[in-house]
Amino acid sequence: MPARKIRVVIAKAGLDGHDRGAKVVARALRDAGMEVIYTGLHQTPEQVVAAAAQEDADAIGLSVLSGAHRYLFSRISELLKDRGMEDVLLFGGGIIPREDMVFLQEIGVKAVFTPGASTGEIVDFVRRTVADRSGERP
Amino acid sequence: MSLAERVLRGDPRAAARLISMAEDGDPAARGEMETLYPHTGRAYIVGVTGPPGSGKSTLVDQLTERWRQEGKKIGIVAVDPSSPFTGGAILADRIRMQRHGTDEGVFIRSMASRGQMGGLARASYDAVQVLDAFGCEMILLETVGVGQDEVDIVRTADTVLVLAVPGLGDSVQVLKAGIMEIADIFVVGKADLEGADQVGRDLAALQEIEGGGRQGWMPPVIKVEGLSGSGVPELLRVIGEHREYMARSVEGEVRKRRRLETHLEQLLAGELMEQALESLRRSGKWEEALARLGRRDCDPYRLAQELAEQILVSPPSP
């Protein structure tokens, strides 16, 4: 059986329209051999989670530059819980102030990559964390 | 409850997981697919193919919108190429189908080609089977149509739509010969752009040359404008006509049979090779054969024939 492919949903939620960062991450994950479902701009949390469900995603990477991260991440986290999808790795990037990191961690965001993070770091993180969790998959 | 049972009950996560397993070639998927098989064969499959940028996803979105208005459950399998170097892929077809993202009556699955010979055709066939058993009445199968694999996939559809657009130079030449032969309906996308009429004429002309021997259904050319949706009602009507034609014609029966046959052949070839190679490797005959080839002791055609005969005479024991 060929090695399982890691599938990641990369999404931009809310009103912010700056997607260069998300695209850079998407390309880096692709170059690392992963399948990236790139959902584009202005996604609602409902759309993001629906995509992750249908695409059997291992992870969701959400980019937020608009300041609405607390709401968006909590809503996604809530929806994942409601749908029994807590095994999906949730991580984020964009403009997220340090003081909100603890809050995000508490609601289930496993990592946040702010400007300056290297794509190598992000790729390694996803690979490592998904591999760890794959024993837990239903 | 098994995955298959959950799929039959309409659990989308189970369907998504089973599609992944089938795609990955996970042996655990086989038992599940076996359970599902009697529940398949109801969905109507529409293949949509054409060059990159021709508006396939937008068209799929439009068709889905209309069929949803009729209350039909829709499945969409959107295939994008994987990088031949890294094996990864960016699958972005969902972007064109946003409005259906949270509609529970629409299941959208993005699939990457993964570069395996024939593997893509098998995986997409399995995905269609799962969505069929899941309850989708119409399944749209969207591919770029550049490689043999993609042509093979679209062949498994009941009705094949081939898209061409103005502004891609001599866009009709971009269509590979194989695709011209399998088209049931030609769609000229972006019909509001200059040159659309010419593309329509080019298609009709090419069809006369290439499709001359074709009997029964003559593929019509339909113009659509994806964003406004103009031309789509007519396209739906023609798809309906083709569906009726397939239901009552010999061609329809032939195609159905050929689909089953091709799929079974592929699976059988895979099984035979796997079992044969394993047996030959285990018994050392494989190494022996390679050594003989290296010494120029025997030519490969003769050798392959001998090995095949040996396997058939004394089949490998499990």
Side-chain angles (χ1 to χ4, degrees), chain B residues 256-266:
Chain B
K256 255 199 162 65
R257 193 198 131 96
R258 204 179 47 204
R259 185 195 316 174
L260 294 175
E261 194 172 32
T262 312
H263 187 60
L264 189 57
E265 267 176 24
Q266 278 172 5

Side-chain angles (χ1 to χ4, degrees), chain B residues 206-222:
Chain B
L206 200 57
Q207 217 216 123
E208 265 184 54
I209 304 168
E210 298 225 17
R214 206 164 164 162
Q215 319 208 326
W217 176 268
M218 291 311 289
V221 179
I222 309 287

